[in-house]
Amino acid sequence: MSFVVQADRLGRKYGRRWALRDCTLAIPEGKVVGLVGPNGAGKTTLLHLAVGLLAPTSGSVTVLGASPADGAAQLGRVGFVAQDTPVYPRLSVAQHLRMGEYLNPGWDRQLARSRVEQLGLDLRQRAGTLSGGQRAQLALTLAIAKRPSCLILDEPVASLDPLARREFLRSLMEIVATDEISVVLSSHLIADLERVCDYLVVLVASRVQIAGEVSDLLSSHYRLCGPRRDARGLPASQRVIEESHTDKQSTFLVRTSDPVLDPAWAIRPVTLDDLVIAYMSREVPGERPDRPRLKVMS
Amino acid sequence: MIEFQLDSGSGVATYLQLVQQVHQALRLGMLEPGDRLPTAQQVVAQLAINPNTVLKAYRDLERAGLVRARPGQGTFIVAALPGTDPAAQSQFLGSMTDWLRSARAAGLGPDDIEAIYRTAFRNCFAEGAA
């Protein structure tokens, strides 16, 4: 299997603080991959290292099998949309396209023009006066008109209203439908990720908590609720991700590939939201104490 | 042609929701052999979901023998659901309705009845699996 992003004990320090430390992960190619995790988990640092905006302090990372930003060819293979989809506020839409063409050898002028037309953007308008949704769409246009093999987006829809968000994701999915392109995007909006991603990576404190196909994750996790019971009383095939107890009742979130047949349990499927929060809340071995941690109340 | 809907809070994987909706449409007669399913592009444009998810759902349906992809033309329904005997269906519907009426007469509410049904359902299928 080939990987779009592969990191091996990757680390990056700012002064004395590690923003990402000992991060090892492998994200398969040809998928739309959602990267989630609490603020400060290292998502943005990881993505910046992957596109070559940052150099690692330790370890290594490859994108599509090559070092990030290693020459013009590699730069052309990776499209990047940074957090909050920045554009140049004083440049017009047309000037953005001209800049894209000037800077990228593989620029597809036809694609850029037709997308801008489709979106109804005025070529003479300055980017600073575009709406948030239009700005995001312009940034996406610049990233895909260079015809990359992989697209990396850092929280592209965080600041958009629900309609603009849906439009943006629709554009992104239409690109995936027409081109063979790998996409990695970070987001806190799990409902969006559930629609658009087929693969999910949960990153907490530089560590991958879980990674896999979204449909596999959903079909292998259950919430069990029933009379109070110790986690050790569960079958060995059920791995407990989260548990809470009252004096009479126990609730578990378990991962298992076998069907749960014990009639004592009320069994509910787990939403992707529940699943991500459960993994984000788990204790991480060796985690630094200064990191704020999400606690689940029981 | 049918239009897919998504229930994002259900905990059911998106591709499975699509598969279930095709089954449902077949059961209700909204889809018949020869009908075409929407293309991946059409579903993507309508729901803003991952095209791979649509293809995965269609592959699932194809493996089950319900649809066939014809290159360049689309994905078509080729078979009806393996039907259960309509007489048997109506017989069980009748006895289930009688049972529900007597449960209601005994003072059980909808939630009680559903809990009983779920437990019985699971017991029954647990026997089958063991």
Side-chain angles (χ1 to χ4, degrees):
Chain A
M1 186 189 276
S2 43
F3 299 99
V4 55
V5 177
Q6 196 165 18
D8 183 32
R9 297 184 64 89
L10 181 65
R12 168 71 196 198
K13 224 168 161 179
Y14 289 110
R16 305 177 65 177
R17 197 179 66 85
W18 287 93
L20 188 77
R21 189 176 202 174
D22 268 344
C23 178
T24 297
L25 60 77
I27 300 178
E29 216 179 306
K31 300 197 180 298
V32 181
V33 180
L35 182 62
V36 285
N39 291 322
K43 300 188 297 291
T44 295
T45 306
L46 172 65
L47 297 182
H48 282 195
L49 287 162
V51 296
L53 281 174
L54 286 174
T57 310
S58 64
S60 66
V61 59
T62 59
V63 175
L64 301 166
S67 281
D70 189 13
Q74 176 71 0
L75 281 171
R77 294 168 74 201
V78 181
F80 179 57
V81 177
Q83 209 159 357
D84 295 326
T85 58
V87 290
Y88 294 93
R90 301 184 63 82
L91 296 188
S92 70
V93 172
Q95 285 170 324
H96 273 90
L97 297 190
R98 207 175 317 146
M99 179 183 68
E101 184 164 356
Y102 183 71
L103 292 175
N104 294 286
W107 187 257
D108 186 335
R109 182 191 291 178
Q110 188 56 40
L111 174 73
R113 286 278 166 165
S114 69
R115 245 185 76 77
V116 162
E117 214 166 274
Q118 214 176 8
L119 295 164
L121 297 182
D122 178 358
L123 282 168
R124 288 160 305 179
Q125 195 174 345
R126 285 190 180 184
T129 63
L130 295 171
S131 73
Q134 291 173 323
R135 223 166 39 230
Q137 291 279 14
L138 177 59
L140 180 62
T141 303
L142 293 177
I144 62 152
K146 62 190 269 189
R147 289 283 183 188
S149 314
C150 121
L151 196 54
I152 294 178
L153 307 103
D154 191 4
E155 294 198 33
V157 294
S159 58
L160 301 184
D161 68 60
L163 180 62
R165 217 159 71 208
R166 182 60 61 84
E167 293 295 329
F168 183 91
L169 294 175
R170 190 199 317 272
S171 295
L172 186 61
M173 288 306 104
E174 283 171 344
I175 293 161
V176 173
T178 35
D179 300 343
E180 302 256 310
I181 189 168
S182 301
V183 177
V184 179
L185 79 157
S186 70
S187 178
H188 288 305
L189 299 158
I190 311 296
D192 285 343
L193 292 181
E194 187 163 4
R195 289 184 103 90
V196 305
C197 295
D198 40 19
Y199 197 92
L200 194 78
V201 178
V202 179
L203 193 74
V204 178
S206 304
R207 298 282 154 75
V208 175
Q209 294 299 302
I210 189 165
E213 298 275 344
V214 172
S215 54
D216 293 345
L217 294 180
L218 286 175
S219 63
S220 61
H221 288 78
Y222 302 90
R223 195 178 295 283
L224 312 179
C225 185
R228 187 180 168 110
R229 187 189 299 194
D230 196 88
R232 280 168 302 187
L234 296 176
S237 63
Q238 297 176 4
R239 200 158 71 88
V240 176
I241 309 304
E242 189 182 80
E243 56 184 306
S244 68
H245 305 274
T246 67
D247 52 343
K248 292 256 170 62
Q249 192 188 47
S250 291
T251 306
F252 293 98
L253 197 160
V254 298
R255 181 181 196 191
T256 175
S257 48
D258 302 336
V260 179
L261 297 169
D262 189 332
W265 295 120
I267 304 165
R268 278 185 295 131
V270 175
T271 65
L272 200 60
D273 215 25
D274 292 340
L275 197 148
V276 167
I277 289 176
Y279 277 98
M280 272 170 42
S281 320
R282 264 154 49 103
E283 304 277 329
V284 180
E287 191 184 359
R288 300 195 307 286
D290 62 332
R291 189 177 295 284
R293 193 181 289 155
L294 191 68
K295 273 281 179 199
V296 172
M297 306 300 289
S298 51
Chain B
M1 180 86 70
I2 58 165
E3 200 166 73
F4 292 112
Q5 321 285 332
L6 275 195
D7 179 358
S8 51
S10 66
V12 179
T14 307
Y15 89 94
L16 212 53
Q17 291 192 38
L18 303 184
V19 169
Q20 287 168 354
Q21 282 171 40
V22 170
H23 282 203
Q24 183 77 354
L26 280 167
R27 226 173 262 128
L28 297 176
M30 295 188 303
L31 281 178
E32 288 172 344
D35 287 349
R36 193 166 68 86
L37 293 177
T39 63
Q41 268 89 349
Q42 284 170 328
V43 181
V44 168
Q46 188 217 337
L47 295 177
I49 61 169
N50 190 321
N52 298 337
T53 305
V54 185
L55 298 176
K56 183 178 166 111
Y58 286 7
R59 273 199 308 274
D60 235 57
L61 291 163
E62 192 162 14
R63 259 200 304 276
L66 294 176
V67 307
R68 188 172 303 140
R70 293 193 204 129
Q73 294 182 55
T75 304
F76 293 83
I77 302 286
V78 290
L81 281 178
T84 12
D85 176 15
Q89 271 196 34
S90 84
Q91 183 206 329
F92 283 111
L93 180 65
S95 53
M96 186 85 174
T97 311
D98 291 343
W99 182 85
L100 284 171
R101 283 208 189 95
S102 62
R104 233 181 122 188
L108 298 182
D111 293 348
D112 301 320
I113 293 175
E114 199 175 319
I116 292 171
Y117 166 77
R118 281 182 189 283
T119 310
F121 184 91
R122 219 158 46 226
N123 288 346
C124 174
F125 284 91
E127 285 163 19

